[in-house]
Amino acid sequence: MAVFQMGSHTHAISMTLYRDNRMKVVNELQRAHNFGADSKPVILLQGGDNISHYDTDVDYVFRQESYFTYLFGVTEPGCYGTVEIKTGRATLYVPRLPEEYAVWMGPLLGLEDFKKKYEVDTVHYVDEISKRLSEVEPSVLLLLSGPNSDSGSVAKPAYFKGIESFVADSDILFPVIAECRVIKSPAEIEVLRYVARVSSDAHKAVMKAMKPGMHEYQAEAEFLRHSYAVGGCRHVSYTCICGAGTNSAILHYGHAGSPNDCAIQDGAMCLFDMGANYGGYAADITCSFPANGKFTADQRLVYNAVLAARDAVCGAAREGVSWVDMHLLANRVMLEELRKGQLLQGDVDEMMEAGLNAIFQPHGLGHFLGLDVHDVGGYLPGCPERSSKAGVNRLRTARTLKAGMYLTIEPGCYFIEPLLNKAYADPSLSKFLVKENLDRFRNFGGVRIEDDVLITQTGIENFTLVPRTVDEIEAWMAK
């Protein structure tokens, strides 16, 4: 049995995972479309290519395009793949590399080597694709083209020289294959369970290593080291966010202008959002904790407000529940805790109606997770549309939950200067703010708690295994 594995101590991903994905897509296409008894529709996908650093001859470390991974599990660049709808027959097309490449790249795989490695039915060279497809005589080539509702970018349809001689369709495939990715198979769930465990252990290693005076990037480096050295995860799923102090209120901190480069002060609140990637599958976990391992009263207040929101959603989420309702539940619980802590005053339902929830948590509750950290399927045709209401309009999906969906639950509470100033200046919001108490949080930063969870018929299964309560965090960091 062929597998992807980064050493005997890491998870083995069987190539049957991708075969099963192909059959799932084939079956759904046959169910959704009447192709006709004599038709021969064929899926055609183009994999990713090497990308160089601007005009240099140095490439970025290659990472395969996600839909191509989903159907084929191929790790090499420059490939194409076809799946015949009527039979499920899979063909891989690989680059024909000059023999001299072996000097620089080691032994080159032959066609039979690729066939065994990926357990497809046939393998040909890319320069033969037009000829070989002509032999198949497809009635239509189903190409991938559709918008990503998070980035706004459109999936690139496959192209090769001579494709103009074939009938092609760019509408049928996308909604079907994207929806197939939303519900995870048992084999995919085990990969996700593994990468969540590796990421959890890496977060725990960071918490153990943390000392005031460290730089944020040193925490990032410890996460990367553990994920790769112990878990075999060569990639992370997104740029690590390692904000301490006021930086913990910067939602996408760690970007090129602020590359996790600040020194961490004694007593600062750390918000570390990091997730490893294994075999293309992502984790996305956030841990928040004080740099010195001991919560102050104010840190405990804010942290427990966010934890209460997380706990409420974890207790309520299950098949048949609206994700919008889960977001509103988390916001309502957090605002109530802040009211109890005398940072807010008044009626929580009125706060929600006025949009105060979006001042303290301007992002959505969470998102789909899988081959992309913000995985596909949020706003496909036939799904609920994005709300225009403050806070809820940031949700990456408004769907009703189904068993097999895999999402993050990530409530947060942040003291973001522009948003606080906006709330103070707006009479409909300022009436809820206890200014004399809130002012001491101006330089607090923020707290986010993010777990990776599988939706079941009766609840959730939480794959994130890190200290979560104040007592658990203090005990772990004191060891």
Side-chain angles (χ1 to χ4, degrees):
M1 180 179 69
V3 299
F4 168 88
Q5 189 172 27
M6 293 289 286
S8 60
H9 63 290
T10 65
H11 184 72
I13 304 177
S14 170
M15 290 300 123
T16 59
L17 181 154
Y18 309 107
R19 181 199 65 197
D20 292 346
N21 287 348
R22 292 193 293 269
M23 292 312 301
K24 180 179 181 180
V25 173
V26 163
N27 291 336
E28 285 302 308
L29 283 168
Q30 290 177 334
R31 186 190 62 81
H33 297 276
N34 180 15
F35 290 109
D38 297 327
S39 66
K40 297 173 67 176
V42 174
I43 296 169
L44 172 64
L45 291 187
Q46 182 176 356
D49 290 318
N50 273 327
I51 300 173
S52 64
H53 291 248
Y54 304 108
D55 61 346
T56 74
D57 62 351
V58 176
D59 292 333
Y60 288 99
V61 177
F62 178 71
R63 183 175 163 191
Q64 187 59 266
E65 193 275 332
S66 295
Y67 284 102
F68 204 78
T69 295
Y70 184 70
L71 290 192
F72 295 99
V74 171
T75 59
E76 292 86 355
C79 298
Y80 291 74
T82 62
V83 184
E84 298 173 31
I85 302 299
K86 292 298 179 72
T87 64
R89 184 176 179 82
T91 301
L92 182 64
Y93 294 87
V94 299
R96 191 193 300 269
L97 301 177
E99 290 184 8
E100 66 185 48
Y101 273 42
V103 175
W104 312 103
M105 300 173 64
L108 301 180
L109 297 182
L111 299 182
E112 281 301 311
D113 298 317
F114 277 106
K115 182 178 178 181
K116 291 177 182 177
K117 183 176 182 179
Y118 295 113
E119 293 189 349
V120 292
D121 295 290
T122 55
V123 181
H124 301 295
Y125 289 115
V126 167
D127 56 29
E128 299 177 309
I129 190 168
S130 183
K131 172 187 174 184
R132 297 295 181 177
L133 278 175
S134 295
E135 293 170 356
V136 174
E137 297 182 330
S139 56
V140 61
L141 295 178
L142 303 182
L143 308 182
L144 183 69
S145 180
N148 183 300
S149 57
D150 292 309
S151 68
S153 299
V154 176
K156 182 181 72 173
Y159 177 81
F160 60 87
K161 187 176 181 180
I163 196 172
E164 297 82 3
S165 62
F166 298 89
V167 176
D169 181 280
S170 298
D171 298 321
I172 291 174
L173 178 60
F174 177 79
V176 173
I177 192 172
E179 182 64 25
C180 285
R181 281 178 56 181
V182 171
I183 304 299
K184 278 29 180 189
S185 69
E188 287 181 299
I189 289 168
E190 291 311 308
V191 183
L192 292 164
R193 190 192 308 278
Y194 173 77
V195 74
R197 179 172 62 80
V198 169
S199 300
S200 297
D201 289 345
H203 271 282
K204 291 168 68 177
V206 170
M207 295 170 73
K208 273 291 194 58
M210 175 53 56
K211 297 175 186 175
M214 287 177 59
H215 279 71
E216 295 159 336
Y217 67 80
Q218 291 175 304
E220 177 183 15
E222 176 58 27
F223 182 89
L224 298 175
R225 185 206 67 79
H226 189 282
S227 297
Y228 200 178
V230 178
C233 299
R234 190 177 197 187
H235 298 279
V236 286
S237 297
Y238 51 96
T239 302
C240 292
I241 299 170
C242 297
T246 55
N247 294 335
S248 61
I250 301 173
L251 299 182
H252 285 171
Y253 185 70
H255 56 79
S258 298
N260 297 326
D261 58 346
C262 288
I264 301 172
Q265 303 300 315
D266 190 9
M269 199 69 191
C270 299
L271 187 158
F272 292 166
D273 184 339
M274 302 179 284
N277 188 290
Y278 187 79
Y281 285 86
D284 184 3
I285 295 170
T286 305
C287 293
S288 299
F289 54 89
N292 60 16
K294 295 294 291 184
F295 284 80
T296 66
D298 282 346
Q299 287 171 344
R300 186 182 292 260
L301 165 63
V302 176
Y303 186 88
N304 281 336
V306 178
L307 185 63
R310 186 214 69 154
D311 290 347
V313 175
C314 287
R318 56 178 46 81
E319 182 168 270
V321 171
S322 163
W323 190 239
V324 174
D325 289 346
M326 293 297 93
H327 175 87
L328 296 174
L329 171 64
N331 285 179
R332 186 173 284 106
V333 168
M334 185 180 70
L335 292 179
E336 177 60 30
E337 293 299 313
L338 296 181
R339 190 189 67 80
K340 290 178 183 177
Q342 300 182 338
L343 301 187
L344 304 177
Q345 61 189 357
D347 183 78
V348 171
D349 286 337
E350 291 181 13
M351 296 179 199
M352 295 284 291
E353 186 61 32
L356 188 66
N357 49 322
I359 297 296
F360 292 97
Q361 186 191 309
H363 60 75
L365 175 63
H367 50 80
F368 287 133
L369 186 63
L371 284 167
D372 295 310
V373 65
H374 296 152
D375 212 23
V376 297
Y379 292 100
L380 291 173
C383 295
E385 296 182 357
R386 189 186 298 271
S387 171
S388 60
K389 190 173 181 180
V392 180
N393 62 350
R394 296 294 184 180
L395 281 172
R396 296 181 186 274
T397 187
R399 295 177 63 157
T400 297
L401 299 179
K402 295 180 181 179
M405 287 179 172
Y406 190 61
L407 303 100
T408 64
I409 294 174
E410 50 178 303
C413 180
Y414 316 88
F415 300 89
I416 301 171
E417 196 71 14
L419 294 183
L420 286 176
N421 291 338
K422 174 186 175 183
Y424 280 132
D426 185 341
S428 69
L429 298 174
S430 62
K431 66 181 181 181
F432 300 114
L433 307 179
V434 183
K435 190 174 187 301
E436 60 270 26
N437 292 339
L438 264 177
D439 277 350
R440 73 176 188 266
F441 288 83
R442 284 281 190 170
N443 296 313
F444 179 94
V447 167
R448 180 162 65 251
I449 299 173
E450 181 178 16
D451 290 348
D452 300 348
V453 306
L454 178 70
I455 303 300
T456 71
Q457 290 183 342
T458 57
I460 65 162
E461 184 180 351
N462 194 335
F463 288 4
T464 305
L465 303 170
V466 296
R468 278 307 191 206
T469 68
V470 167
D471 289 345
E472 289 170 350
I473 291 169
E474 291 186 343
W476 177 255
M477 295 183 71
K479 286 183 180 179

